[in-house]
Short mmCIF file of all heavy atoms in Angstrom, two decimals:
data_model
loop_
_atom_site.label_atom_id
_atom_site.label_comp_id
_atom_site.label_asym_id
_atom_site.label_seq_id
_atom_site.Cartn_x
_atom_site.Cartn_y
_atom_site.Cartn_z
N ARG V 351 39.73 -64.63 -212.88
CA ARG V 351 39.13 -65.06 -214.15
C ARG V 351 38.10 -64.05 -214.64
O ARG V 351 38.06 -63.71 -215.83
CB ARG V 351 38.46 -66.43 -213.96
CG ARG V 351 39.42 -67.57 -213.69
CD ARG V 351 38.68 -68.89 -213.53
NE ARG V 351 39.61 -69.98 -213.31
CZ ARG V 351 40.22 -70.64 -214.27
NH1 ARG V 351 40.00 -70.32 -215.54
NH2 ARG V 351 41.06 -71.64 -213.99
N ALA V 352 37.28 -63.56 -213.70
CA ALA V 352 36.20 -62.66 -214.08
C ALA V 352 36.71 -61.37 -214.72
O ALA V 352 36.07 -60.81 -215.62
CB ALA V 352 35.34 -62.35 -212.86
N LEU V 353 37.87 -60.88 -214.27
CA LEU V 353 38.42 -59.64 -214.83
C LEU V 353 38.69 -59.77 -216.32
O LEU V 353 38.38 -58.87 -217.12
CB LEU V 353 39.71 -59.27 -214.09
CG LEU V 353 39.55 -58.74 -212.66
CD1 LEU V 353 40.91 -58.63 -211.97
CD2 LEU V 353 38.86 -57.39 -212.65
N PHE V 354 39.27 -60.90 -216.72
CA PHE V 354 39.58 -61.11 -218.14
C PHE V 354 38.34 -61.50 -218.94
O PHE V 354 38.17 -61.07 -220.09
CB PHE V 354 40.68 -62.17 -218.27
CG PHE V 354 42.00 -61.73 -217.70
CD1 PHE V 354 42.35 -62.04 -216.40
CD2 PHE V 354 42.90 -60.99 -218.47
CE1 PHE V 354 43.57 -61.64 -215.87
CE2 PHE V 354 44.11 -60.58 -217.95
CZ PHE V 354 44.45 -60.90 -216.64
N GLU V 355 37.50 -62.32 -218.34
CA GLU V 355 36.29 -62.77 -219.04
C GLU V 355 35.33 -61.61 -219.30
O GLU V 355 34.60 -61.61 -220.30
CB GLU V 355 35.60 -63.87 -218.24
CG GLU V 355 36.39 -65.18 -218.24
CD GLU V 355 35.83 -66.21 -217.28
OE1 GLU V 355 34.91 -65.85 -216.49
OE2 GLU V 355 36.30 -67.36 -217.29
N SER V 356 35.36 -60.60 -218.42
CA SER V 356 34.50 -59.43 -218.64
C SER V 356 34.92 -58.63 -219.86
O SER V 356 34.15 -57.83 -220.40
CB SER V 356 34.51 -58.53 -217.40
OG SER V 356 35.79 -57.92 -217.23
N LEU V 357 36.14 -58.85 -220.34
CA LEU V 357 36.66 -58.17 -221.54
C LEU V 357 36.76 -59.13 -222.72
O LEU V 357 37.48 -58.89 -223.70
CB LEU V 357 38.04 -57.57 -221.24
CG LEU V 357 38.07 -56.49 -220.15
CD1 LEU V 357 39.50 -56.10 -219.82
CD2 LEU V 357 37.26 -55.28 -220.55
N ASP V 358 36.01 -60.24 -222.65
CA ASP V 358 35.89 -61.23 -223.74
C ASP V 358 37.18 -61.99 -224.02
O ASP V 358 37.51 -62.30 -225.17
CB ASP V 358 35.41 -60.54 -225.04
CG ASP V 358 34.01 -59.97 -224.89
OD1 ASP V 358 33.19 -60.59 -224.18
OD2 ASP V 358 33.73 -58.90 -225.46
N TYR V 359 37.91 -62.32 -222.96
CA TYR V 359 39.05 -63.22 -223.09
C TYR V 359 38.70 -64.53 -222.39
O TYR V 359 38.07 -64.52 -221.32
CB TYR V 359 40.30 -62.62 -222.45
CG TYR V 359 40.82 -61.38 -223.12
CD1 TYR V 359 40.39 -60.12 -222.72
CD2 TYR V 359 41.74 -61.46 -224.17
CE1 TYR V 359 40.86 -58.98 -223.33
CE2 TYR V 359 42.22 -60.31 -224.79
CZ TYR V 359 41.77 -59.07 -224.36
OH TYR V 359 42.24 -57.94 -224.99
N ASN V 360 39.13 -65.64 -222.96
CA ASN V 360 38.96 -66.93 -222.31
C ASN V 360 40.22 -67.27 -221.52
O ASN V 360 41.34 -67.20 -222.06
CB ASN V 360 38.70 -68.04 -223.34
CG ASN V 360 37.36 -67.88 -224.03
OD1 ASN V 360 36.37 -67.52 -223.39
ND2 ASN V 360 37.31 -68.13 -225.34
N VAL V 361 40.03 -67.59 -220.25
CA VAL V 361 41.17 -67.90 -219.38
C VAL V 361 41.51 -69.38 -219.50
O VAL V 361 40.67 -70.24 -219.24
CB VAL V 361 40.85 -67.53 -217.92
CG1 VAL V 361 42.02 -67.93 -217.02
CG2 VAL V 361 40.57 -66.03 -217.80
N ILE V 362 42.73 -69.65 -219.90
CA ILE V 362 43.18 -71.03 -220.08
C ILE V 362 43.79 -71.58 -218.80
O ILE V 362 43.58 -72.73 -218.42
CB ILE V 362 44.20 -71.11 -221.23
CG1 ILE V 362 43.54 -70.66 -222.54
CG2 ILE V 362 44.77 -72.52 -221.38
CD1 ILE V 362 44.52 -70.50 -223.69
N LYS V 363 44.57 -70.73 -218.11
CA LYS V 363 45.28 -71.20 -216.91
C LYS V 363 45.44 -70.06 -215.91
O LYS V 363 45.70 -68.92 -216.31
CB LYS V 363 46.66 -71.75 -217.29
CG LYS V 363 47.46 -72.32 -216.13
CD LYS V 363 48.82 -72.82 -216.58
CE LYS V 363 49.76 -71.68 -216.88
NZ LYS V 363 51.16 -72.15 -217.16
N VAL V 364 45.27 -70.40 -214.62
CA VAL V 364 45.57 -69.46 -213.53
C VAL V 364 46.50 -70.17 -212.56
O VAL V 364 46.18 -71.25 -212.05
CB VAL V 364 44.29 -68.99 -212.80
CG1 VAL V 364 44.66 -68.07 -211.64
CG2 VAL V 364 43.33 -68.30 -213.75
N ASP V 365 47.65 -69.55 -212.31
CA ASP V 365 48.66 -70.15 -211.44
C ASP V 365 49.05 -69.11 -210.39
O ASP V 365 49.61 -68.07 -210.72
CB ASP V 365 49.87 -70.57 -212.26
CG ASP V 365 50.88 -71.38 -211.46
OD1 ASP V 365 50.63 -71.61 -210.25
OD2 ASP V 365 51.91 -71.78 -212.02
N ARG V 366 48.75 -69.39 -209.12
CA ARG V 366 49.14 -68.48 -208.04
C ARG V 366 50.60 -68.74 -207.70
O ARG V 366 50.95 -69.79 -207.17
CB ARG V 366 48.26 -68.70 -206.80
CG ARG V 366 48.57 -67.72 -205.67
CD ARG V 366 47.84 -68.12 -204.41
NE ARG V 366 46.45 -67.73 -204.42
CZ ARG V 366 45.52 -68.24 -203.60
NH1 ARG V 366 45.86 -69.17 -202.73
NH2 ARG V 366 44.28 -67.83 -203.66
N VAL V 367 51.45 -67.76 -207.98
CA VAL V 367 52.90 -67.95 -207.82
C VAL V 367 53.44 -67.31 -206.54
O VAL V 367 54.57 -67.60 -206.13
CB VAL V 367 53.65 -67.41 -209.05
CG1 VAL V 367 53.28 -68.21 -210.29
CG2 VAL V 367 53.36 -65.93 -209.27
N MET V 368 52.66 -66.43 -205.92
CA MET V 368 53.05 -65.84 -204.63
C MET V 368 51.82 -65.67 -203.76
O MET V 368 50.74 -65.36 -204.26
CB MET V 368 53.73 -64.47 -204.83
CG MET V 368 55.12 -64.51 -205.39
SD MET V 368 55.89 -62.85 -205.43
CE MET V 368 56.01 -62.49 -203.67
N TYR V 369 52.01 -65.89 -202.46
CA TYR V 369 50.95 -65.64 -201.48
C TYR V 369 51.61 -64.87 -200.34
O TYR V 369 52.33 -65.43 -199.53
CB TYR V 369 50.36 -66.95 -200.96
CG TYR V 369 49.11 -66.76 -200.12
CD1 TYR V 369 47.88 -67.24 -200.54
CD2 TYR V 369 49.14 -66.07 -198.90
CE1 TYR V 369 46.73 -67.07 -199.78
CE2 TYR V 369 48.01 -65.87 -198.15
CZ TYR V 369 46.82 -66.38 -198.59
OH TYR V 369 45.67 -66.19 -197.83
N GLY V 370 51.36 -63.55 -200.30
CA GLY V 370 52.03 -62.73 -199.30
C GLY V 370 53.53 -62.86 -199.45
O GLY V 370 54.09 -62.66 -200.53
N PRO V 371 54.25 -63.26 -198.37
CA PRO V 371 55.70 -63.41 -198.44
C PRO V 371 56.14 -64.76 -198.99
O PRO V 371 57.34 -65.02 -199.12
CB PRO V 371 56.12 -63.26 -196.97
CG PRO V 371 54.97 -63.83 -196.21
CD PRO V 371 53.73 -63.46 -196.99
N LEU V 372 55.19 -65.64 -199.32
CA LEU V 372 55.51 -67.01 -199.71
C LEU V 372 55.59 -67.15 -201.23
O LEU V 372 54.79 -66.56 -201.96
CB LEU V 372 54.44 -67.97 -199.17
CG LEU V 372 54.10 -67.81 -197.68
CD1 LEU V 372 52.94 -68.71 -197.30
CD2 LEU V 372 55.33 -68.12 -196.82
N THR V 373 56.55 -67.96 -201.69
CA THR V 373 56.72 -68.19 -203.13
C THR V 373 56.78 -69.69 -203.40
O THR V 373 56.86 -70.51 -202.48
CB THR V 373 58.01 -67.54 -203.66
OG1 THR V 373 59.14 -68.27 -203.15
CG2 THR V 373 58.11 -66.08 -203.21
N LYS V 374 56.76 -70.04 -204.69
CA LYS V 374 56.84 -71.44 -205.11
C LYS V 374 58.27 -71.93 -205.19
O LYS V 374 58.51 -73.08 -205.60
CB LYS V 374 56.17 -71.63 -206.47
CG LYS V 374 54.68 -71.38 -206.48
CD LYS V 374 54.02 -72.00 -207.71
CE LYS V 374 54.66 -71.53 -208.99
NZ LYS V 374 54.06 -72.16 -210.18
N TRP V 375 59.22 -71.10 -204.82
CA TRP V 375 60.62 -71.48 -204.97
C TRP V 375 60.91 -72.80 -204.26
O TRP V 375 60.59 -73.00 -203.09
CB TRP V 375 61.52 -70.39 -204.39
CG TRP V 375 62.98 -70.66 -204.57
CD1 TRP V 375 63.72 -70.47 -205.69
CD2 TRP V 375 63.87 -71.20 -203.58
NE1 TRP V 375 65.02 -70.85 -205.47
CE2 TRP V 375 65.14 -71.31 -204.19
CE3 TRP V 375 63.70 -71.60 -202.26
CZ2 TRP V 375 66.25 -71.80 -203.52
CZ3 TRP V 375 64.80 -72.09 -201.58
CH2 TRP V 375 66.06 -72.19 -202.20
N ASN V 376 61.49 -73.73 -204.99
CA ASN V 376 61.90 -75.03 -204.46
C ASN V 376 60.73 -75.87 -203.95
O ASN V 376 60.90 -76.72 -203.07
CB ASN V 376 62.94 -74.85 -203.34
CG ASN V 376 63.87 -76.04 -203.21
OD1 ASN V 376 64.08 -76.77 -204.18
ND2 ASN V 376 64.43 -76.26 -202.02
N LEU V 377 59.54 -75.63 -204.51
CA LEU V 377 58.36 -76.40 -204.12
C LEU V 377 57.69 -76.92 -205.40
O LEU V 377 56.89 -76.22 -206.02
CB LEU V 377 57.39 -75.54 -203.31
CG LEU V 377 56.17 -76.26 -202.72
CD1 LEU V 377 56.61 -77.34 -201.73
CD2 LEU V 377 55.24 -75.26 -202.03
N PRO V 378 57.98 -78.15 -205.80
CA PRO V 378 57.43 -78.69 -207.05
C PRO V 378 55.91 -78.81 -206.99
O PRO V 378 55.31 -78.86 -205.92
CB PRO V 378 58.09 -80.07 -207.16
CG PRO V 378 59.28 -80.01 -206.25
CD PRO V 378 58.90 -79.08 -205.15
#
Side-chain angles (χ1 to χ4, degrees):
R351 293 180 178 275
L353 288 171
F354 294 93
E355 290 171 352
S356 68
L357 298 173
D358 296 325
Y359 295 91
N360 293 320
V361 177
I362 299 171
K363 182 181 74 173
V364 178
D365 188 0
R366 184 189 281 163
V367 296
M368 287 185 66
Y369 190 115
L372 311 174
T373 71
K374 295 198 305 178
W375 183 80
N376 208 26
L377 186 62

